[in-house]
């Protein structure tokens, strides 16, 4: 996992069995960033977290604040987007407070977010090549550059 370690993600080996070789150019180009990759999970990852699939989605966020929180914890952190499913993503503290009210114990104000779409989710298909599972921020670029056939 030297590539992952070079991005400051030594915890990747705690969660994934291996890095499929077709992911390497995607990791190099899009991490940190809006790309979630589906990996085979290690036995340490709870089946509840994998949805009993044996796989886990991993994203290295481009948010410096979020990466520092993860790094300081010393272990992988699981999180969702700051929105209620099906609703528009919260772009600032006021949006979070309006959406969640008192259901949130603490908010770290990292400033205004410019995120309008979720991350692109990519998995390995039965043919052994990456394919887009959920279009997101970089999906059109994948099509244009034919990075994911």
């Amino acid at each position: 996992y030297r590539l992952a370690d070079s991005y400051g993600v030594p915890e990747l080996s705690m969660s994934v069995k291996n890095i499929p070789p077709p992911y390497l150019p995607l990791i190099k180009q899009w991490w940190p960033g809006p790309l979630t990759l589906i990996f085979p999970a290690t036995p340490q990852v709870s089946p509840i977290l994998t949805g009993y699939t044996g796989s886990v989605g991993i994203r290295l966020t481009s948010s410096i604040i979020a990466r520092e929180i993860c790094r300081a914890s010393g272990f992988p952190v699981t999180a969702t987007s700051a929105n209620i499913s099906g609703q528009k993503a919260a772009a600032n503290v006021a949006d979070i407070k309006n959406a969640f009210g008192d259901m949130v114990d603490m908010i770290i104000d990292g400033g205004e977010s410019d995120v309008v779409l979720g991350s692109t989710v990519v998995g390995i298909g039965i043919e052994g090549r990456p394919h887009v599972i959920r279009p997101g921020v970089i999906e059109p670029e994948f099509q244009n550059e034919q990075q994911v056939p």
Side-chain angles (χ1 to χ4, degrees), residues 62-108:
S62 57
S63 166
I64 293 169
I65 294 169
R67 283 202 321 265
E68 287 303 316
I69 290 170
C70 293
R71 189 181 333 273
S73 75
F75 53 84
V77 174
T78 184
T80 63
S81 302
N83 68 305
I84 295 172
S85 183
Q87 300 294 315
K88 182 179 147 192
N92 54 47
V93 170
D95 288 351
I96 294 168
K97 287 180 179 177
N98 287 335
F100 295 99
D102 62 359
M103 293 186 293
V104 176
D105 293 324
M106 180 174 60
I107 300 170
I108 298 172

Side-chain angles (χ1 to χ4, degrees), residues 20-23 38 122-131 133:
Y23 281 173
I38 306 300
V122 172
I124 298 291
I126 55 174
E127 69 288 341
R129 295 186 316 184
H131 73 284
I133 294 171

Side-chain angles (χ1 to χ4, degrees), residues 10 16 26 28 33 39-40 42 45 55 57 59 66 73 81 102 128 139 141 144:
V16 306
L26 299 176
K28 204 169 207 160
F39 291 94
T42 62
V45 178
S55 60
R59 174 174 171 239
S73 75
S81 302
D102 62 359
E139 195 271 335
E141 295 179 45
N144 293 340

Side-chain angles (χ1 to χ4, degrees), residues 27-38:
I27 289 170
K28 204 169 207 160
Q29 181 171 0
W30 297 107
W31 276 11
L35 175 65
T36 299
L37 296 170
I38 306 300

Side-chain angles (χ1 to χ4, degrees), residues 3-49:
L3 180 65
D5 288 344
S6 71
Y7 287 105
V9 195
E11 297 84 8
L12 193 61
S13 61
M14 293 180 196
S15 303
V16 306
K17 286 183 182 176
N18 60 59
I19 299 174
Y23 281 173
L24 295 177
L26 299 176
I27 289 170
K28 204 169 207 160
Q29 181 171 0
W30 297 107
W31 276 11
L35 175 65
T36 299
L37 296 170
I38 306 300
F39 291 94
T42 62
Q44 293 91 324
V45 178
S46 168
I48 295 169
L49 187 60

